[in-house]
Amino acid sequence: MAQKPTPTGPSQRQQRVAELIRHALAEVLQRGDIQDPVLGTHVVTVPEVRMSPDLKLATAYVMPLGGLDEAPVIAALERHRKVLRQEVARRVNLKFAPELRFRRDETFDEAARIDRLLRDERVQRDLDHGRDDDEPETGPGH
């Protein structure tokens, strides 16, 4: 049986379910429903959740506030993933509660890298040179 080609990005359903799970995880973590010494001392943000096409696996990208103690926080979330899965299942009405996995959110690092690149003197020189070329010529006959 021939498989249909996969779309280039997540489907609207994947995005909708991912957002529901992101909100549910954020609520559980904010309320402090998980009793853990590491999670109790850190504010954890969940900027993104990505769903597998079959909606059975949710990858949550997390970051402790201030970016401190990332490894212990992710380890604590992994230790409590069964409880977190149950809490997500209670809050999100799905046929199957997805398996949860936690990854470090790297979007802040990527934004800082791009910012550093844009501040590089060679890039600034090219940008300044580009502005000079774009200015309309003025003078006799124009």
Side-chain angles (χ1 to χ4, degrees):
M1 178 184 222
Q3 291 181 343
K4 61 181 179 180
T6 57
T8 57
S11 69
Q12 186 174 4
R13 184 168 183 230
Q14 282 174 277
Q15 291 174 342
R16 187 177 69 243
V17 171
E19 194 63 14
L20 290 170
I21 290 173
R22 185 181 77 80
H23 282 280
L25 278 173
E27 181 183 340
V28 170
L29 293 172
Q30 179 185 16
R31 291 180 50 168
D33 292 345
I34 306 298
Q35 300 302 315
D36 184 275
V38 175
L39 296 177
T41 59
H42 291 83
V43 176
V44 180
T45 60
V46 186
E48 183 181 12
V49 171
R50 292 183 190 163
M51 297 300 299
S52 63
D54 63 2
L55 304 180
K56 291 187 178 183
L57 176 65
T59 303
Y61 293 88
V62 297
M63 178 63 75
L65 196 62
L68 303 173
D69 302 327
E70 297 166 2
V73 167
I74 291 175
L77 290 169
E78 287 290 340
R79 272 195 312 275
H80 296 287
R81 81 167 143 195
K82 286 184 180 179
V83 175
L84 288 165
R85 182 182 184 197
Q86 291 171 343
E87 290 296 322
V88 166
R90 282 183 350 118
R91 289 169 168 77
V92 180
N93 187 19
L94 293 172
K95 188 173 183 177
F96 300 102
E99 287 290 327
L100 298 175
R101 68 179 176 191
F102 298 94
R103 299 288 183 261
R104 180 182 178 276
D105 180 39
E106 296 179 356
T107 55
F108 297 110
D109 294 340
E110 184 64 14
R113 187 186 72 80
I114 291 170
D115 192 48
R116 277 194 310 277
L117 284 172
L118 291 174
R119 292 178 191 273
D120 185 81
E121 68 180 49
R122 292 172 293 180
V123 173
Q124 289 299 316
R125 183 180 61 235
D126 289 347
L127 289 173
D128 291 341
H129 181 70
R131 283 190 209 118
D132 294 341
D133 292 344
D134 293 341
E135 293 178 8
E137 291 185 28
T138 56
H142 287 240

